[in-house]
Structures are given as structure tokens and as C-alpha cells.
Amino acid sequence: MTPNELFPLDHPAFISHQLDRAAHLRFSDEKLFALEGKSDSRAYVVHRDSLVMKQDAAGPRALLTIAEALKAGANPGTIFLGLRDGAAVFGMGIGAAAVEALLTRADYVFSELRGMAMQGVVPPDQLSAIAMAKSLVSWHQRHGFCANCGIRTAMAEGGWKRVCPGCKTEHFPRTDPVAIMLVEKGDKCLLGRQKQFPPGMYSCLAGFVEAAETIEDAVRREIFEEAGIRCTDVKYYMTQPWPYPSSLMIGCSARATTDTIAIDHMELEDARWFDRDEATLMLKREHPDGLAGPHPFAIAHHLLGRWLQPG
């Protein structure tokens, strides 16, 4: 399948959620242990930005049995993600030493998640659950100690909470809101590129929503800070979970009231206005100068694609 077939307009990665989160089961360790021991239970095994997959005759498979996950070297202590068709699905982490051992084996595949998703190796309908696993595993690895008193905390409620045995403070996974926006002025839109982007790629500008800030204010502030453009008429489009490590991309559009660009080179390598014809060629990867837009995997592609739709 082509990237546009994998992620058609308005359907970026990580949004097709097929799990029943079954939050009521998080409060019973007994029930979770029983589910983990059932033959139809499955797990996603993640390490940093990568995924462990089982190599079958039909190709790599992301959803492992619990036995396969443990055989691969996944860490005990699973995170309950929910139920799929009545069967429990868990998230599991894996250490660096176990990953190194997997690289020498033919029965497992270990690769960066984003690349596999873009190529269709990982089915789009599984990406949301994998994003949950990746975000939660990363959170547990980075928040092992109480921010209040410094004592090591313990996993609770199926991995959706950590509790300090000393001061009893409860810690919950965080999601960081990020505003990502397509700014238009007449028949042109504003796109920028960062140094780490692939050569020739331009995308929508984005930035974290700060404390006590509305999404609308974040859009206006980020556009002005990064490109020196004033804008108004901020409108919401859609959101995309972004597990790098745990953000929520809030897609918006806005109308520019100025057009002179002043780039903050700490944030952007370049920014410029593109007309509709040029933007269309960029999304099609047919631009004569080799310029390209964002991949359909990302919400930025869909913001741009929606702007290019007639009417």
C-alpha cells in the first residue's frame, strides 16, 4: 500500500483505536494476573522508539503472545492497555542487553517504530495501542522515584499510576499538549524546516502549549516567535497522539495578518510561503526542486492536505 492509502486524509497515525481500555480492570491485581496468564493475551514490546516483532512466515508480527514476549527478554511487570475482542493486551519494556541479543536472532525483528509504520510493516489499526505501550513504558522508565520525597515508587493500577510508599504521593502519566498549525494568507501557506528534517522537507510549525495558556494563544505565540508572523482566526482541526515520548498534537489553522517572515534560527533553519500549486507538488513528491511536504504518517500532512482540498 502507498503512504496515502495507509494514512488517508484526516487519518494520520496513532488515531485508530481498537482497544476497550477497560479501566475498571486496572484496580484488581488478581484479575490482571489472571488475564496475563491466559493463552489469548497478547503484548507489545517496546524499547525507546523501537518495537520488537516476531518473525513469522507471513512477515513480522507486532502483537506477541506473553510467552513470546518473555522469550524475547521483555521485562516482567506488564502494563494493561485494555481488551481487544475480549482478549487482554499488555505493554512491556525490554532492556538494552536483551535487545542486543535479539539482533543476532532470526526469529525476532527489532526496528524503529516510525519507519516500520510508514512502510506499512505495522498495521495502522495497531498503532494507537503501540503508542500507549510506548508512552507508558517510557514514563515508568523515567519516573521511578517520587518527585516529592525521592523514594522509589511502585507501579499500580495496571501501570497507569505509580505510588510512593513513603509519602503516599500518587503519580500519573502525563501528556504534553503541542499546538501544530497551518497558517494561511490568501492562496499561500507558511511552512518551515528544522535542521534535523530530511533534505528538502518542509512542514507545519509547532510548539508546546505553556502553563496557563490557551491553545489559541499558543498558536499565535509560536508562529510569531518562530517566524515573526502575526495571525488570527485560529480554528481547531483534529488531534494526533504522538508518543515521542508522550505528546498530543493539536492541529489548528490560522490566518496571517502580516507576511514578512523573521526566522528564529534557534528553532528553524528556514521558513517560507508556498502557493497551492507548489504545496500540491510537495505532497506528491513531484516538486522540481526536490522539496517535499510531511509524510501522511503525521498530522502536518493532513493539515496541509485539508487546506488544499477544493472548497
Side-chain angles (χ1 to χ4, degrees):
M1 297 178 70
T2 67
N4 285 320
E5 289 172 329
L6 287 168
F7 305 105
L9 188 62
D10 302 329
H11 290 83
F14 306 122
I15 70 165
S16 298
H17 192 63
Q18 294 196 351
L19 291 186
D20 170 6
R21 294 186 180 232
H24 63 283
L25 295 175
R26 299 174 187 172
F27 304 97
S28 172
D29 289 342
E30 181 179 350
K31 290 181 179 179
L32 290 178
F33 285 135
L35 284 173
E36 191 175 337
K38 295 187 68 173
S39 60
D40 62 351
S41 293
R42 296 292 184 265
Y44 293 108
V45 180
V46 295
H47 177 71
R48 296 180 181 172
D49 292 340
S50 297
L51 180 70
V52 174
M53 302 182 73
K54 186 72 170 65
Q55 183 64 60
D56 291 337
R61 170 170 48 86
L63 200 54
L64 312 183
T65 67
I66 301 299
E68 289 170 339
L70 294 175
K71 185 178 178 181
N75 299 325
T78 54
I79 297 164
F80 177 65
L81 304 179
L83 302 175
R84 182 170 184 173
D85 298 327
V89 179
F90 295 89
M92 302 177 74
I94 186 170
V99 167
E100 287 293 326
L102 282 182
L103 298 179
T104 65
R105 297 175 58 169
D107 53 341
Y108 286 91
V109 175
F110 177 77
S111 186
E112 194 266 337
L113 171 61
R114 189 181 322 203
M116 290 194 294
M118 287 180 174
Q119 297 164 24
V121 177
V122 181
D125 65 357
Q126 294 190 38
L127 292 177
S128 177
I130 295 171
M132 292 170 62
K134 183 183 179 306
S135 293
L136 287 168
V137 167
S138 177
W139 178 73
H140 283 289
Q141 291 173 342
R142 293 180 292 112
H143 293 82
F145 294 87
C146 180
N148 187 51
C149 71
I151 292 177
R152 177 171 285 281
T153 56
M155 183 187 294
E157 293 184 11
W160 289 88
K161 182 169 75 172
R162 295 190 72 88
V163 178
C164 176
C167 68
K168 309 304 180 185
T169 299
E170 297 178 334
H171 303 273
F172 298 89
R174 59 178 290 167
T175 296
D176 298 315
V178 178
I180 181 166
M181 44 275 175
L182 185 75
V183 178
E184 60 180 289
K185 185 172 176 60
D187 285 332
K188 294 185 177 181
C189 68
L190 179 68
L191 301 175
R193 61 169 284 106
Q194 299 178 356
K195 292 180 180 179
Q196 67 267 28
F197 283 4
M201 176 184 161
Y202 282 76
S203 187
C204 299
L205 276 59
F208 287 100
V209 180
E210 296 186 344
E213 184 177 44
T214 66
I215 295 170
E216 293 84 355
D217 281 343
V219 168
R220 290 187 285 263
R221 174 183 55 78
E222 285 289 343
I223 292 297
F224 182 71
E225 288 178 354
E226 295 188 2
I229 298 294
R230 297 288 187 184
C231 63
T232 187
D233 295 343
V234 177
K235 296 179 181 178
Y236 169 78
Y237 166 54
M238 68 179 298
T239 58
Q240 179 190 27
W242 193 249
Y244 297 98
S246 189
S247 297
L248 181 66
M249 308 300 289
I250 305 168
C252 298
S253 63
R255 179 176 60 84
T257 58
T258 62
D259 57 11
T260 301
I261 297 173
I263 299 171
D264 177 359
H265 288 285
M266 295 292 291
E267 296 286 342
L268 298 175
E269 183 178 76
D270 189 29
R272 64 177 79 170
W273 294 102
F274 294 90
D275 62 29
R276 292 179 183 274
D277 290 341
E278 200 171 12
T280 298
L281 292 173
M282 291 166 69
L283 283 191
K284 291 181 176 180
R285 302 296 197 269
E286 296 175 359
H287 194 282
D289 297 329
L291 303 184
H295 192 280
F297 176 85
I299 191 175
H301 173 98
H302 301 267
L303 277 164
L304 187 54
R306 179 52 61 191
W307 177 70
L308 291 172
Q309 290 291 300

